[in-house]
């Protein structure tokens, strides 16, 4: 049997049991029904998505509800699913007792789905008509063991009806036998009615008979029906499902409508419970129902044998809260928080006393352990998840007291309020979000404004909230200029100037020197460079301390003054003139023609296989995200952080599997190869075709202008990336451009985690999206070298060698040392038409989505990476002239590499 959503699903004799998700059924899920009846169809998509994430290979959709227009609801929901690739990738089972609803649903399906169901209950003529239409719509069909006399309940009736239906379908209608799925009716057992006792046995035997006598046909059924008499006793129902499926699958059952969370592992069932359930399912003794009832209630209240792991559950509730916080355990947090609240309430206390009492006591332990180096960042973020969920549980009680959420911080005696934001034009927020969590764990109230926040919005929010501190984050170099602008606006605004509101600076491109030299002159209040999340708590505590703040700020100012003086007196980097640098360009032999790419122009790749990309991940930077220091894989055995590194890697790899299996992220790419040559020493022209007459893009890479050392009697070259493209007139050369993203879907998924008070998973998701984007760039470059351009077709490198860049050619990216100018992204994205793969640029030239990589492919075997370093005024003027821009605009773009110290010239 071949089915499909956006992806194919093959079911044959070698296939494992196929789970059909049952929760998108208004008759089977109260939650789903409530959403649909309320018209909250977009919310209901989350139920379908969860089914797929939990392993459903097909999802059953049923809208049969008396108060619902079933046909309209089916069409609307299926159309919404069609726009959700992570759901639409699996086949759909259109389920209804009304043929009109089924037919309307079939018209909406993309791919090949299943009809649930058709039967002989209205006679052969109607059965044939419906089967013919199902075949015409290109679907498989569930055939109920149901005829004009009613549903089949015994083995004889089941096999008789299925044989008749099979004959009509195959011989009269021409229905493919492999597209027939019989449902021989699963009925409830252990009801106390004797004639019901053999229902499970009859189903299992009928399944075996169908597989032996009706070639190609499949068998399915609604598994939850079998345990209906024990509704309310989930452990017993789970055991019945597990035992029933164990025997039914052995008999040949191919698939079933089942809640995967209500099926256990046969071998792991309690031996006594399994025996009693098996007696019921297989009808092995007359008193089997009574014997199961004897243990049902004690099973209902019993947990699995986790006595050692759950020993802490015997402690008083307040201690359990502290344990859960320190160990990041969310499993019991709501019930423990409720128990503590009830005890505090009985003593006349308020819900906020739970927060400022046992919860804050637990978080203080976390803060102390983190500060002492006995806990690490991933553990702290997990602790924050527990804290947030506990507070979320208490919020209804706080609101019942007519207290707004904003009052919770004051009553819990927060240490201070901090407004934090990623500055305008920048979309990177992992580090900022980690800082937010760490500060919240230490009882600071944090207002996280998100990404791309304009200066006026940051300052307005800080005034509105009465913020004690403002924090700015940024990753790309244009963010540095925006931070200077925010500092200047704080100086201009009397509200901040008179209060001396502290300003925190953080992010990958920031530094202590840059903060002291470039930002502090713009604002008289304290400005503090915070290199990583672990320093944030100490800095904020000092700044807001009544006793220590003045001394801390005085020491800070003195330190920054020394940094400014050292920078001003630093020996000037000796520069050569631009003409001298060009004369000392990289010496390359152009006598041999470069390899021509196997195609010219653009090529787009959408929905790239995430599993393939996962094989190329460099896990080293993953640990840096979590402030765990050490090279991978040695970090896993590190004496200090090894244990936590292994845990966070296991968490990361587990989520990576969920990302891949659930298609949480979409990986898109666009790349292109074009004729290219260097002109005027430093400018690369990209041409429309081999005539090289129409210029599509001009790229002016910067050239190293510092004095170069002499090594073994040979002067090292003043390199430019332009050196690696053949000068015009020497040889016809080529260049590649690319852009990849694995961030599509990341923000929405991260928000779901954040809304569930789960910052750990949100940060983990974004960290993995970044790793996948870098892996995509790595994998695509490999394909470029070996097949798409094909200049290194025989390359054979391991993943470690690829990460170590042992390959031929380079892929420089804007913003990196060999190409510090971000502005080239504009024409590059235009030429690649990146909008087609949903990538874009902010006004500060940050790529969107955040998990994206872009750059160039240079194929010359001598091409290498280098650091441009400082450039002089003459190169600034030449660069501006080459790109046709005024010198002031050029200066702003090259601010990170221009040496502004007095006395330095070319």
């Amino acid at each position: 049997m071949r089915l499909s959503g956006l992806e194919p699903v093959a079911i044959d004799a070698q296939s494992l049991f196929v789970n059909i998700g049952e929760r998108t059924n208004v008759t089977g899920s109260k939650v789903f029904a409530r959403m649909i009846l309320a018209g909250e169809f977009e919310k209901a998509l989350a139920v379908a998505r969860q089914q797929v994430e939990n392993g459903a290979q097909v999802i059953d959709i049923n809208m049969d509800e008396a108060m619902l227009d079933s046909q309209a609801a089916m069409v609307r929901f299926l159309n919404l699913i069609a726009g959700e690739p992570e759901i639409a990738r699996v086949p759909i089972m259109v389920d209804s007792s009304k043929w009109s609803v089924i037919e309307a649903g079939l018209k909406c399906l993309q791919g090949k789905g299943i009809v649930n169901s058709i039967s002989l209950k209205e006679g052969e003529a109607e059965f044939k008509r419906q089967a013919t239409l199902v075949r015409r719509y290109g679907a498989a069909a569930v055939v109920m063991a149901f005829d004009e006399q009613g549903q089949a309940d015994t083995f004889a009736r089941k096999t008789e009806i299925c044989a008749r239906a099979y004959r009509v379908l195959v011989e009269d209608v021409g229905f493919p036998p492999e597209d027939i799925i019989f449902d021989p009716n699963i009925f409830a057992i252990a009801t106390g009615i004797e004639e019901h006792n053999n229902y499970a046995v009859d189903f299992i035997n009928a399944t075996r008979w169908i597989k032996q006598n009706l070639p190609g046909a499949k068998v399915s059924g609604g598994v939850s029906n079998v345990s209906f008499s024990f509704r309310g006793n989930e452990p017993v129902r789970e055991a019945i499902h597990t035992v029933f499926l164990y025997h039914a699958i052995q008999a040949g059952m191919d698939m079933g409508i089942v809640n995967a969370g209500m099926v256990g592992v046969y071998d792991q069932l309690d031996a006594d419970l399994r025996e009693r359930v098996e007696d019921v399912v297989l009808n092995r003794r007359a008193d089997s129902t009574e014997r199961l009832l004897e243990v049902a209630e004690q099973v209902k209240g019993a947990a699995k044998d986790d006595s050692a792991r759950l020993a802490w559950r015997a402690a008083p509730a307040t201690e359990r809260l502290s344990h859960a916080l320190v160990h990041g355990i969310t499993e019991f947090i709501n019930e423990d928080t409720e128990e503590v609240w009830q005890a505090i309430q009985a003593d006349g206390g308020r819900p906020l006393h739970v927060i400022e009492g046992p919860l804050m006591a637990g978080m203080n332990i976390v803060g102390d352990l983190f500060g002492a180096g006995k806990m690490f960042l991933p553990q702290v973020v997990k602790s924050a998840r527990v804290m947030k969920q506990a507070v979320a549980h208490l919020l209804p009680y706080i609101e019942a007291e007519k207290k707004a959420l904003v009052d919770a911080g004051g009553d819990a005696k927060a240490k201070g309020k901090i407004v934090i934001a990623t500055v305008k034009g920048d979309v990177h927020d992992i580090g900022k979000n980690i800082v937010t969590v760490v500060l919240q764990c230490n009882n600071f109230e944090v207002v996280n404004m998100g990404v791309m926040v304009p200066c006026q919005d940051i300052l307005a929010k800080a005034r509105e909230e009465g913020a004690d501190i403002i924090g700015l984050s940024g990753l790309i170099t244009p963010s540095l200029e925006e931070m200077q602008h925010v500092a200047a606006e704080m100086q201009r605004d009397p509200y901040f100037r008179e209060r001396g509101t502290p300003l925190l600076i953080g992010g990958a491109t920031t530094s202590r020197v840059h903060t002291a030299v470039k930002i502090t002159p713009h604002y008289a209040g304290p400005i503090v460079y915070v290199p990583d999340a672990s320093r944030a708590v100490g800095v904020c505590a000092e700044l807001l301390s009544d006793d220590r703040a003045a001394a801390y700020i005085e020491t800070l100012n003195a330190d920054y003054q020394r940094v400014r003086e050292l920078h001003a007196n630093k020996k000037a980097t000796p520069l050569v003139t631009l003409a001298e640098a060009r004369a000392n360009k990289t010496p390359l032999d152009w006598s041999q023609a470069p390899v021509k790419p196997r195609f010219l122009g653009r090529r787009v790749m959408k929905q790239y296989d995430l599993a393939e990309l996962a094989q190329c991940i460099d896990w080293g930077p993953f640990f840096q995200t979590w402030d765990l220091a050490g090279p991978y894989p040695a970090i896993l055995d590190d004496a200090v952080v090894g244990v936590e590194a292994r845990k966070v890697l296991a968490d990361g790899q587990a989520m990576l599997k969920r990302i891949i299996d659930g298609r949480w992220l979409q990986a898109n790419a666009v790349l292109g190869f074009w004729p290219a040559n260097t002109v005027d020493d430093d400018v690369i022209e990209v041409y429309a075709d081999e005539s090289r007459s129409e210029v599509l893009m001009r790229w002016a890479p910067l050239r190293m202008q510092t004095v170069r050392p002499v090594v073994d009697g040979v002067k090292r070259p003043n390199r430019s990336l332009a050196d690696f493209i053949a000068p015009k007139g020497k040889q016809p050369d080529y260049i590649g451009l690319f852009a990849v993203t694995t961030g599509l879907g990341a923000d929405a998924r991260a928000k779901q985690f954040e809304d569930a008070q789960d910052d750990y998973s949100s940060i983990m998701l974004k960290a993995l999206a970044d790793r996948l984007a870098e892996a995509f760039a790595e994998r695509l470059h490999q394909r470029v070298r070996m097949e798409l351009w094909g200049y290194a077709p025989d390359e054979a490198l391991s993943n470690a060698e690829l990460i170590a860049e042992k390959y031929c050619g380079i892929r420089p990216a804007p913003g990196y040392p060999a190409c510090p100018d971000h502005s080239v992204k504009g024409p590059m994205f235009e030429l690649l038409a990146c909008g087609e793969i949903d990538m874009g640029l902010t006004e500060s030239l940050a790529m969107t989505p955040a998990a994206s990589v872009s750059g160039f492919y240079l194929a010359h075997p001598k091409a290498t990476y280098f650091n441009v370093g400082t450039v002089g005024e003459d190169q600034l003027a030449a660069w501006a002239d080459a790109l046709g821009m005024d010198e002031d605009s050029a200066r702003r773009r090259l601010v990170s590499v221009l040496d502004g110290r007095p006395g330095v010239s070319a």
Side-chain angles (χ1 to χ4, degrees):
M1 171 182 281
R2 295 181 184 277
L3 304 172
S4 70
L6 293 176
E7 298 175 358
V9 176
I11 302 169
D12 55 26
Q14 282 70 50
S15 298
L16 297 175
F17 182 76
V18 175
N19 286 304
I20 302 171
E22 68 171 358
R23 310 311 292 166
T24 43
N25 183 327
V26 292
T27 63
S29 168
K30 290 180 181 177
V31 173
F32 183 73
R34 194 159 51 242
M35 291 176 178
I36 295 298
L37 287 167
E40 297 173 335
F41 282 72
E42 288 79 6
K43 268 191 184 179
L45 285 174
V47 179
R49 189 178 292 111
Q50 187 179 48
Q51 293 282 280
V52 178
E53 290 168 4
N54 288 346
Q57 293 118 302
V58 179
I59 53 173
D60 177 89
I61 298 174
N62 183 304
M63 297 291 180
D64 287 359
E65 215 286 340
M67 300 303 294
L68 201 60
D69 181 343
S70 303
Q71 184 170 323
M74 179 68 77
V75 169
R76 181 178 174 188
F77 194 62
L78 289 177
N79 285 338
L80 284 171
I81 282 177
E84 299 284 335
E86 64 269 38
I87 305 172
R89 70 185 182 87
V90 302
I92 303 295
M93 178 180 277
V94 182
D95 185 354
S96 180
S97 58
K98 303 170 188 172
W99 175 254
S100 60
V101 175
I102 286 175
E103 190 166 11
L106 284 171
K107 293 175 182 177
C108 301
L109 294 191
Q110 47 190 349
K112 181 178 178 181
I114 304 172
V115 164
N116 188 15
S117 60
I118 61 174
S119 73
L120 287 160
K121 67 180 179 180
E122 295 178 24
E124 281 192 17
E126 180 63 11
F127 181 58
K128 289 178 183 177
R129 186 186 77 84
Q130 292 179 357
T132 302
L133 286 170
V134 171
R135 187 180 176 208
R136 186 179 301 162
Y137 283 115
V142 172
V143 180
M144 297 294 295
F146 202 140
D147 65 4
E148 298 89 340
Q149 280 73 53
Q151 280 186 284
D153 54 355
T154 64
F155 171 76
R157 286 270 293 146
K158 292 176 194 290
T159 54
E160 174 198 342
I161 295 172
C162 290
R164 176 186 169 201
Y166 184 86
R167 186 178 64 253
V168 171
L169 287 171
V170 175
E171 296 176 8
D172 299 349
V173 179
F175 207 92
E178 65 272 16
D179 284 351
I180 300 171
I181 307 166
F182 284 111
D183 184 341
N185 303 325
I186 299 175
F187 295 124
I189 56 175
T191 63
I193 301 172
E194 188 176 346
E195 52 264 37
H196 297 176
N197 291 349
N198 215 50
Y199 277 164
V201 174
D202 284 338
F203 180 91
I204 292 166
N205 288 339
T207 297
R208 188 177 290 111
W209 186 90
I210 289 167
K211 301 300 286 189
Q212 291 169 350
N213 295 279
L214 305 179
K218 309 295 182 286
V219 177
S220 181
V223 176
S224 59
N225 291 348
V226 74
S227 65
F228 191 68
S229 59
F230 282 90
R231 62 191 180 280
N233 190 328
E234 301 307 298
V236 170
R237 293 196 74 179
E238 179 180 317
I240 293 173
H241 297 165
T242 303
V243 170
F244 174 80
L245 278 174
Y246 174 77
H247 291 285
I249 291 169
Q250 282 191 334
M253 187 178 181
D254 301 278
M255 59 186 74
I257 301 175
V258 59
N259 180 355
M262 285 284 287
V263 180
V265 178
Y266 180 82
D267 288 338
Q268 292 179 6
L269 291 175
D270 174 80
D272 181 49
L273 175 63
R274 184 174 65 205
E275 180 188 354
R276 292 176 189 238
V277 168
E278 209 145 31
D279 286 342
V280 169
V281 170
L282 300 181
N283 194 19
R284 293 193 299 206
R285 46 192 293 169
D287 61 348
S288 58
T289 299
E290 289 75 15
R291 292 182 74 247
L292 181 56
L293 286 169
E294 287 173 7
V295 300
E297 280 309 307
Q298 69 186 63
V299 169
K300 183 177 181 180
K304 292 177 176 142
D305 187 13
D306 288 321
S307 53
R309 182 177 69 86
L310 297 178
W312 64 281
R313 302 297 301 153
T318 52
E319 292 179 28
R320 297 200 302 269
L321 277 186
S322 177
H323 181 94
L325 285 162
V326 173
H327 292 88
I329 302 169
T330 58
E331 188 177 355
F332 309 99
I333 192 62
N334 286 348
E335 61 193 76
D336 286 351
T337 303
E338 179 68 20
E339 184 176 338
V340 171
W341 157 234
Q342 293 299 336
I344 287 176
Q345 185 183 35
D347 290 337
R350 302 170 55 211
L352 287 172
H353 296 158
V354 183
I355 298 174
E356 64 185 5
L359 285 174
M360 284 316 306
M363 290 313 296
N364 287 338
I365 295 171
V366 171
D368 292 344
L369 290 172
F370 183 53
K374 295 177 181 177
M375 278 183 78
F376 302 101
L377 185 60
Q379 295 165 295
V380 173
V381 178
K382 287 180 181 177
S383 297
R385 174 170 59 185
V386 178
M387 178 71 170
K388 283 189 171 184
Q389 291 184 16
V391 172
H393 181 79
L394 292 167
L395 283 181
Y397 300 118
I398 297 171
E399 289 165 358
E401 285 188 317
K402 298 181 179 179
K403 284 284 186 180
L405 174 59
V406 70
D407 293 334
D411 285 337
K413 299 181 177 62
K415 295 175 183 174
K417 182 178 283 189
I418 301 160
V419 166
I420 190 168
T422 299
V423 295
K424 183 179 76 170
D426 204 328
V427 297
H428 300 88
D429 67 351
I430 294 180
K432 170 179 64 69
N433 291 347
I434 289 174
V435 169
T436 297
V437 170
V438 170
L439 287 170
Q440 287 171 332
C441 286
N442 285 270
N443 202 18
F444 290 94
E445 186 175 349
V446 183
V447 179
N448 187 337
M449 295 183 68
V451 300
M452 290 184 63
V453 188
C455 172
Q456 65 270 23
D457 292 355
I458 296 171
L459 301 188
K461 176 61 75 173
R463 274 194 298 270
E464 175 191 330
E465 297 284 347
D468 299 297
I469 296 174
I470 295 173
L472 304 180
S473 175
L475 183 70
I476 58 174
T477 48
S479 300
L480 301 178
E481 193 172 343
E482 182 63 21
M483 291 175 179
Q484 293 172 220
H485 173 60
V486 175
E489 288 300 294
M490 289 177 70
Q491 180 66 22
R492 199 171 64 84
D493 188 328
Y495 178 90
F496 300 104
R497 185 178 66 245
E498 291 167 9
R499 284 170 174 75
T501 305
L503 179 64
L504 306 185
I505 301 293
T509 55
T510 59
S511 68
R512 176 166 161 264
V513 174
H514 180 272
T515 302
V517 174
K518 298 288 189 179
I519 301 181
T520 56
H522 294 281
Y523 178 52
I527 300 179
V528 190
Y529 166 62
V530 184
D532 56 60
S534 63
R535 312 284 181 88
V537 173
V539 168
C540 293
E542 292 297 307
L543 288 171
L544 298 181
S545 167
D546 293 336
D547 302 327
R548 303 186 305 275
Y552 176 77
I553 292 170
E554 185 179 346
T555 302
L556 181 77
N557 289 339
D559 177 56
Y560 283 177
Q561 181 60 32
R562 282 194 301 274
V563 170
R564 285 190 290 271
E565 290 171 359
L566 285 171
H567 180 77
N569 297 327
K570 188 178 176 182
K571 185 179 179 182
T573 304
L575 302 180
V576 298
T577 64
L578 179 59
E580 290 173 307
R582 285 172 171 171
N584 188 41
K585 67 177 59 172
T586 313
L588 296 176
D589 179 10
W590 294 107
S591 60
Q592 188 172 350
V595 177
K596 181 178 179 179
R598 292 176 179 173
F599 70 89
L600 294 178
R602 291 170 70 251
R603 183 168 293 182
V604 172
M605 301 176 184
K606 290 191 175 182
Q607 299 279 5
Y608 203 93
D609 183 6
L610 293 172
E612 180 181 326
L613 302 184
Q615 301 304 311
C616 303
I617 285 180
D618 174 9
W619 287 101
F622 172 78
F623 296 100
Q624 296 165 19
T625 299
W626 295 104
D627 279 2
L628 297 174
Y632 176 77
I635 191 174
L636 302 178
D637 297 313
D638 185 89
V640 178
V641 300
V643 172
E644 192 55 35
R646 289 194 295 274
K647 286 181 183 176
V648 78
L649 178 61
D651 288 346
Q653 290 177 332
M655 180 174 281
L656 180 61
K657 185 177 187 304
R658 294 174 69 195
I659 289 170
I660 294 168
D661 292 346
R663 296 183 70 89
W664 289 2
L665 304 177
Q666 183 178 333
N668 289 350
V670 58
L671 78 162
F673 305 123
W674 284 274
N677 283 114
T678 295
V679 298
D680 302 329
D681 292 296
D682 303 330
V683 177
I684 299 171
E685 288 186 339
V686 180
Y687 304 111
D689 53 43
E690 288 286 23
S691 71
R692 299 172 189 262
S693 56
E694 181 186 350
V695 178
L696 296 177
M697 171 182 165
R698 282 171 62 86
W699 174 29
L702 295 170
R703 183 174 295 283
M704 299 172 73
Q705 213 172 333
T706 53
V707 172
R708 304 296 290 141
V710 176
V711 179
D712 296 331
V714 179
K715 190 175 185 180
R716 302 300 296 272
N718 291 84
R719 301 186 191 278
S720 166
L721 291 173
D723 294 346
F724 305 124
I725 297 289
K728 196 168 187 179
K730 291 260 185 171
Q731 290 287 0
D733 207 347
Y734 304 88
I735 195 170
L737 286 74
F738 76 94
V740 302
T741 183
T742 55
L744 298 167
D747 288 343
R749 179 70 55 173
K751 187 176 186 304
Q752 289 178 12
F753 285 127
E754 289 159 12
D755 290 346
Q757 321 300 329
D758 188 355
D759 288 294
Y760 180 73
S761 294
S762 172
I763 292 166
M764 180 68 76
L765 175 74
K766 291 182 179 183
L768 290 170
D770 283 350
R771 290 297 87 225
L772 283 167
E774 293 291 347
F776 200 175
E778 195 69 71
R779 174 61 180 140
L780 195 59
H781 192 195
Q782 184 182 40
R783 290 189 60 191
V784 164
R785 297 190 301 272
M786 297 183 68
E787 51 174 300
L788 301 173
W789 187 327
Y791 64 80
D794 301 322
E795 177 181 289
L797 300 175
S798 67
N799 195 45
E801 289 172 320
L802 292 175
I803 292 169
E805 298 168 354
K806 302 289 187 184
Y807 43 73
C808 176
I810 58 174
R811 52 177 172 91
Y816 283 78
C819 180
D821 167 41
H822 283 267
S823 64
V824 69
K825 288 180 190 168
M828 183 172 75
F829 269 50
E830 187 177 343
L831 181 55
L832 286 170
C834 288
E836 187 178 342
I837 62 164
D838 300 314
M839 280 184 68
L841 295 172
T842 70
E843 59 190 286
S844 296
L845 301 168
M847 291 177 286
T848 58
S852 300
V853 180
S854 64
F856 299 89
Y857 296 128
L858 303 182
H860 197 284
K862 294 290 181 66
T864 186
Y865 297 105
F866 55 90
N867 187 349
V868 166
T870 305
V871 301
E873 293 287 329
D874 54 351
Q875 184 163 186
L876 169 69
W879 188 82
D881 184 60
L883 296 178
M885 71 173 71
D886 65 86
E887 211 163 292
D888 286 342
S889 299
R891 188 177 299 279
R892 282 196 299 274
R893 291 189 179 185
L894 300 186
V895 66
S896 64
V897 291
L898 284 173
D899 196 323
R901 291 169 304 184
V904 177
S905 68

